[in-house]
Amino acid sequence: MEYRNKLVLAPMVRVGTLPFRLLAAQYGADITYGEEIIDHKLLKCERRINDAIGSIDIVEKGTENVVFRTCDQERNQVVFQLGTSDAVRALTAAQLVCKDVAAIDINMGCPKAFSISGGMGAALLKKPDLIHDILTTLKRNLCIPVTCKIRLLNSTHDTVELARRIEKTMVSAVAVHGRRVVDRPRDPANWSEIANVVDALSIPVIANGDVFEHEDFQRIREVTGSSSVMVARGALWNASIFHPVGSPIEVVKREYVRKSILWDHDIKSTKYTLKEMIMHYTSLELPEGKAVTRAENLSDIARLYEEEKYYESINTNRLGVTVTSEFGNFGIESLQDPRTD
């Protein structure tokens, strides 16, 4: 894994799943972070090979609940972000997924009450000794890169000093979100303070915050001097932000739907991501938003975005038989290859 001169998809809860990561990669993302998953949850899981769709699934034991899904296609660019407050537990959790991902990242920036109350996320920013313990434990025992993502501390001096301590653990890179814990998304990111971290470190720094269009990748690099740039909301609103030209949001939504169908994605997560896209441009009270809200399964989503034929072809090929549904009967001979359609 190389962390210099890269465009990076940020970890986003309920969004950074396999279909969206592959969508971002299709448009040019070099590195794609998965959504944060807590170590406690991983300890209740097992690794399974899903031959039906060609994925590797981390599944909650005794259930069919897929906690994390990946595939060989993203093996060299997907980063697994782990939420933890304990070095031994972090290592045990990371060992379950380390053979299937490109790197492990420790979340040290989430300001949500759930994370902080559990001693995770931004709570770690006040515990440099624990940070050192977690990162060095992972570095000693894993054969893939280890990184972390932090926020700005109350003063520039404190942020730089913490970053220097992190660098001493020999991590491969550090991502810096240009906001403090008390800041809200509407507050502007402080790119100049990220620059102070960049100046103090020799390892790659990934700058994060207020990247909303493709040109912002270059702007933030010019201000911060960062090795790479990470984007969250800008990618959620239109994943083609990674491409210099980009694509209309209607095209992006349909491509996301196709990837959700291909990878048999959870309907709740699919709907959540689509609704986030819709809300940025229009309203959930308009026909499209209402239809997504009403959708009960992927076939409903396929119909809404005129991907019925693709849905049928995927399921026909998956089962090896002709499928009958509300879309009608489709014989295998009448369908194009879904991967080239």
Side-chain angles (χ1 to χ4, degrees):
M1 177 71 89
E2 172 58 50
Y3 287 93
R4 298 188 187 277
N5 299 315
K6 303 299 181 183
L7 305 183
V8 185
L9 175 69
M12 290 183 280
V13 175
R14 298 181 69 182
V15 174
T17 51
L18 179 58
F20 195 83
R21 295 195 304 268
L22 292 177
L23 180 69
Q26 174 181 311
Y27 282 112
D30 301 300
I31 300 173
T32 54
Y33 281 57
E35 61 177 333
E36 177 198 26
I37 298 177
I38 307 303
D39 55 8
H40 287 289
K41 194 172 198 62
L42 278 178
L43 297 183
K44 301 175 183 177
C45 294
E46 60 186 7
R47 179 181 182 272
R48 297 182 192 172
I49 302 297
N50 189 333
D51 292 322
I53 63 174
S55 67
I56 300 156
D57 296 345
I58 304 301
V59 183
E60 197 168 353
K61 295 177 183 176
T63 75
E64 297 301 317
N65 178 35
V66 177
V67 173
F68 177 74
R69 172 167 286 167
T70 186
C71 65
D72 289 341
Q73 182 179 337
E74 66 167 2
R75 169 66 180 80
N76 294 323
Q77 66 184 136
V78 61
V79 176
F80 187 95
Q81 191 182 62
L82 184 64
T84 188
S85 60
D86 179 84
V88 175
R89 198 166 60 237
L91 177 60
T92 304
Q95 287 173 329
L96 180 63
V97 300
C98 65
K99 294 181 180 180
D100 303 307
V101 299
I104 298 290
D105 182 82
I106 300 300
N107 181 353
M108 300 181 184
C110 180
K112 301 294 185 183
F114 170 79
S115 288
I116 292 179
S117 64
M120 303 174 291
L124 290 173
L125 298 176
K126 298 179 180 180
K127 301 176 180 179
D129 291 338
L130 179 55
I131 288 176
H132 181 272
D133 190 22
I134 292 171
L135 294 178
T136 53
T137 297
L138 294 178
K139 281 293 298 179
R140 283 196 305 265
N141 293 280
L142 299 179
C143 59
I144 60 174
V146 175
T147 62
C148 65
K149 184 172 185 285
I150 68 172
R151 279 180 174 249
L152 301 176
L153 276 68
N154 290 333
S155 73
T156 299
H157 175 268
D158 289 345
T159 304
V160 169
E161 286 306 304
L162 178 63
R164 283 174 171 158
R165 289 202 63 174
I166 290 172
E167 182 176 40
K168 290 179 181 178
T169 68
M170 304 300 290
V171 292
S172 299
V174 57
V176 182
H177 185 168
R179 291 183 175 87
R180 294 178 169 79
V181 174
V182 297
D183 292 337
R184 299 277 67 85
R186 64 178 177 274
D187 296 321
N190 193 328
W191 291 358
S192 62
E193 288 204 37
I194 299 177
N196 293 325
V197 176
V198 173
D199 291 341
L201 303 187
S202 59
I203 61 172
V205 173
I206 306 170
N208 175 220
D210 288 356
V211 176
F212 299 122
E213 56 187 45
H214 187 78
E215 290 73 18
D216 289 335
F217 286 116
Q218 184 60 31
R219 293 189 188 111
I220 191 172
R221 288 194 65 182
E222 289 174 353
V223 172
T224 66
S226 65
S227 301
S228 297
V229 179
M230 175 181 283
V231 56
R233 288 177 294 164
L236 170 58
W237 296 334
N238 189 325
S240 71
I241 189 175
F242 295 102
H243 194 279
V245 178
S247 293
I249 187 59
E250 299 307 320
V251 173
V252 174
K253 283 187 290 189
R254 285 191 63 172
E255 191 57 42
Y256 173 71
V257 167
R258 289 166 71 93
K259 284 178 168 48
S260 294
I261 293 168
L262 179 62
W263 295 103
D264 193 26
H265 193 41
D266 173 69
I267 182 61
K268 290 183 179 179
S269 179
T270 302
K271 289 172 58 175
Y272 177 84
T273 301
L274 285 170
K275 288 194 285 187
E276 288 294 313
M277 294 179 188
I278 293 168
M279 285 190 293
H280 179 65
Y281 293 95
T282 57
S283 167
L284 293 179
E285 295 305 311
L286 294 177
E288 179 189 7
K290 289 182 177 180
V292 169
T293 301
R294 288 194 305 267
E296 297 181 354
N297 47 51
L298 287 176
S299 66
D300 291 342
I301 295 294
R303 184 191 307 108
L304 174 61
Y305 289 96
E306 300 180 347
E307 292 292 348
E308 301 100 322
K309 184 177 179 181
Y310 185 77
Y311 177 88
E312 291 295 347
S313 65
I314 289 296
N315 284 281
T316 296
N317 293 344
R318 191 169 286 158
L319 296 174
V321 297
T322 299
V323 176
T324 302
S325 77
E326 62 268 45
F327 300 143
N329 295 329
F330 289 83
I332 293 177
E333 68 279 0
S334 68
L335 300 174
Q336 298 178 14
D337 181 348
R339 297 181 186 272
T340 60
D341 183 19

